[in-house]
Amino acid sequence: MTMKRLTLAAAVAAVAASGAVSGALTTAQAEDGIYIPLLTYRTGAFADSGTPIANGMSDYFALLNARDGGINGVKLVVEECETGYKTDVGVECYERTKTKGAVVYNPYSTGITNAIIPKTNGDKIPVLSMGYGLTPAADGRVFPWVFNLPTTYWSQASVFVKYVADQEGGMDKLKGKTIGLIHLDHPYGKEPIPTLEALSATHGFDFVTYPVPPKTMQDQRSTWEKIDSDEPDWLFMWGWGAMNPTAMKGAVDVDFPMERFIGVWWSGNESDVRDAGEKAAGYLAGDFHGVGDGWPLFKDLRDQVVGKDGSQTPDSMVGETLYNRGVFNAVVVSEAIRTAQGKFGNRAITGEEMRWGLENIVLDNARLDALGLAGFTNPINVTCQDHEGSHPVYLKKWDGAKWEKSTEWIEPMQDVVRPLIEEEAAKIAAERGLATNNCSS
């Protein structure tokens, strides 16, 4: 596999290069294979979270090249561009790499995703923000180039409320309860707030937020003192990177009951709870794919990629939550390419053809089994209208040493979430003057 790393300095230098040179690079890479830029962050405050995702994605693409010769005989050309989780650097990476024939972007940052979205209609390159990003982009009629499958933050927030209601004895028992949200004070961390506010108004629970500024996310003493004083009945967490283990320490310090502490799927990695160990036992987190390495695909990854030249993955990382998420993301990208090739031919596809592939992907149980991932995730079936494509979430529990599945798949409150998505998407369309696709063809 062709694998490169770009620094910001290299990106700026490349942008300053002549148009003739840029054009030559685009032609050469289009001839080499299917070009997939990865906006990664192996450095900075969020590196502990960004690194396993980058490893999982890179390893799966490397496996396809090594084991299968690419996809239908077409090699994958993968290039990393380091963003440090900084929005301006991520946009710079996007501008640098889009001229090389990029077929899809996976920003792994809500801030970067939101900054790129306005460019998609003109650039005609889809953005796959898998389980993050702008939730209203699930309305494919307004955002034809953005996909946030298999489920969104708003769906997950509603699942958390459903779970709490079940534990309390019914939706009517939520009245008078207090649900808190400790969140990164960042566009990502604020994403669930509209849904939780709407559900609070409908079901009568008090909703309180505890924002954590990124610059002070490793010193949350005042935040946890406030939580300890307020004594919310339940606490949700929308954290990322170093915020998460710091929050776990804060919860332990104030003796917050772990069985009433539930994290978003970005607050459910092993590194988030490992330091707390048994003290974090009972903590819950949402997820939309399996954890562990008990699937045939992971044997192939170990046999043919991990530990070989080009892989940066230690064997101990295989099967961890965020590594698996990176693998799953790469599976979705690859299956969308395969879907597009089924219509347009077994060749290097374009960004427009990739969009069609994402919109028509069907990742059912039979296909998951064929990939060596039977039962790894809930089946995905995207449509023109619905770029979320699956919706259910399950909760897993930390037992003090490892994650274990705690619930079955829980359907979100689609009667609440989907109208909110469509309402907000229509509002954005009006503000930005976006055309709306009626999805009739």
Side-chain angles (χ1 to χ4, degrees):
M1 176 174 66
T2 302
M3 178 68 74
K4 301 178 181 178
R5 295 288 301 281
L6 291 176
T7 63
L8 176 57
V12 173
V15 170
S18 70
V21 173
S22 177
L25 286 171
T26 301
T27 302
Q29 294 213 341
E31 291 172 351
D32 288 343
I34 299 170
Y35 179 57
I36 305 172
L38 300 182
L39 306 189
T40 58
Y41 40 98
R42 298 178 181 273
T43 64
F46 302 95
D48 284 350
S49 300
T51 297
I53 293 170
N55 287 347
M57 294 191 74
S58 297
D59 285 355
Y60 185 75
F61 291 135
L63 175 66
L64 292 184
N65 278 341
R67 185 191 65 190
D68 306 338
I71 301 177
N72 290 319
V74 185
K75 288 280 190 175
L76 305 174
V77 181
V78 181
E79 183 173 35
E80 290 191 25
C81 190
E82 175 65 33
T83 72
Y85 199 73
K86 296 177 181 178
T87 298
D88 58 342
V89 181
V91 173
E92 189 68 61
C93 283
Y94 172 84
E95 294 294 342
R96 165 67 179 95
T97 55
K98 74 179 183 181
T99 61
K100 297 184 178 184
V103 297
V104 67
Y105 279 91
N106 304 270
Y108 272 96
S109 157
T110 293
I112 297 173
T113 301
N114 290 350
I116 290 175
I117 284 175
K119 302 174 182 289
T120 57
N121 285 343
D123 292 340
K124 299 188 183 304
I125 305 171
V127 171
L128 173 55
S129 52
M130 197 179 80
Y132 63 96
L134 183 69
T135 295
D139 189 342
R141 297 169 302 177
V142 177
F143 298 96
W145 297 94
V146 188
F147 298 81
N148 43 16
L149 58 88
T151 186
T152 66
Y153 289 141
W154 295 4
S155 288
Q156 183 175 203
S158 77
V159 164
F160 286 1
V161 172
K162 269 183 91 169
Y163 175 80
V164 168
D166 183 66
Q167 300 304 301
E168 294 288 354
M171 296 299 292
D172 61 315
K173 305 300 184 191
L174 292 176
K175 189 173 183 179
K177 301 292 182 183
T178 300
I179 296 178
L181 173 71
I182 179 170
H183 68 91
L184 194 66
D185 195 10
H186 177 275
Y188 147 68
K190 298 174 184 177
E191 265 289 311
I193 293 176
T195 301
L196 293 172
E197 287 178 337
L199 292 172
S200 169
T202 301
H203 297 290
F205 63 85
D206 295 324
F207 174 55
V208 184
T209 61
Y210 303 97
V212 176
K215 290 184 179 180
T216 60
M217 65 183 178
Q218 290 181 277
D219 182 4
Q220 300 175 25
R221 284 173 294 181
S222 61
T223 301
W224 283 97
E225 287 172 0
K226 184 71 166 62
I227 292 171
D228 190 35
S229 174
D230 289 351
E231 295 186 328
D233 297 287
W234 292 84
L235 185 64
F236 301 159
M237 177 159 70
W238 243 258
W240 189 226
M243 174 184 160
N244 293 334
T246 306
M248 296 308 303
K249 181 181 183 302
V252 169
D253 287 346
V254 302
D255 293 321
F256 193 87
M258 288 294 173
E259 67 277 6
R260 288 175 171 261
F261 191 14
I262 308 175
V264 64
W265 46 60
W266 303 114
S267 298
N269 192 36
E270 286 74 6
S271 62
D272 299 334
V273 288
R274 190 175 283 132
D275 288 348
E278 291 185 359
K279 293 179 180 179
Y283 171 70
L284 296 156
D287 218 329
F288 53 79
H289 60 74
V291 292
D293 59 358
W295 287 271
L297 174 63
F298 291 94
K299 183 178 186 305
D300 286 355
L301 286 165
R302 278 200 166 98
D303 290 347
Q304 300 194 46
V305 179
V306 176
K308 308 295 191 298
D309 289 344
S311 176
Q312 301 183 58
T313 306
D315 187 79
S316 60
M317 185 179 287
V318 177
E320 289 193 350
T321 299
L322 293 183
Y323 179 83
N324 287 14
R325 193 158 302 157
V327 170
F328 183 32
N329 200 143
V331 167
V332 171
V333 168
S334 302
E335 290 303 295
I337 291 171
R338 199 181 305 276
T339 300
Q341 286 179 330
K343 178 177 177 64
F344 301 106
N346 295 338
R347 54 170 174 77
I349 63 170
T350 67
E352 291 180 87
E353 291 164 347
M354 181 65 175
R355 190 203 69 79
W356 188 93
L358 282 165
E359 200 161 81
N360 289 275
I361 190 173
V362 177
L363 200 56
D364 57 16
N365 288 325
R367 184 57 189 159
L368 288 168
D369 188 25
L371 292 168
L373 288 172
F376 184 75
T377 190
N378 198 65
I380 297 171
N381 186 8
V382 181
T383 67
C384 175
Q385 295 93 336
D386 181 13
H387 282 193
E388 191 172 353
S390 176
H391 312 121
V393 179
Y394 76 91
L395 299 186
K396 59 187 182 182
K397 181 185 295 184
W398 179 250
D399 71 1
K402 65 182 185 306
W403 292 107
E404 58 184 21
K405 191 174 182 181
S406 183
T407 72
E408 296 303 316
W409 291 96
I410 303 173
E411 288 285 347
M413 302 180 199
Q414 282 299 99
D415 59 329
V416 175
V417 174
R418 186 65 192 187
L420 285 174
I421 287 173
E422 293 183 358
E423 178 183 346
E424 188 62 22
K427 179 181 175 182
I428 294 171
E431 290 174 349
R432 299 182 185 177
L434 300 177
T436 302
N437 178 12
N438 61 18
C439 291
S440 59
S441 59

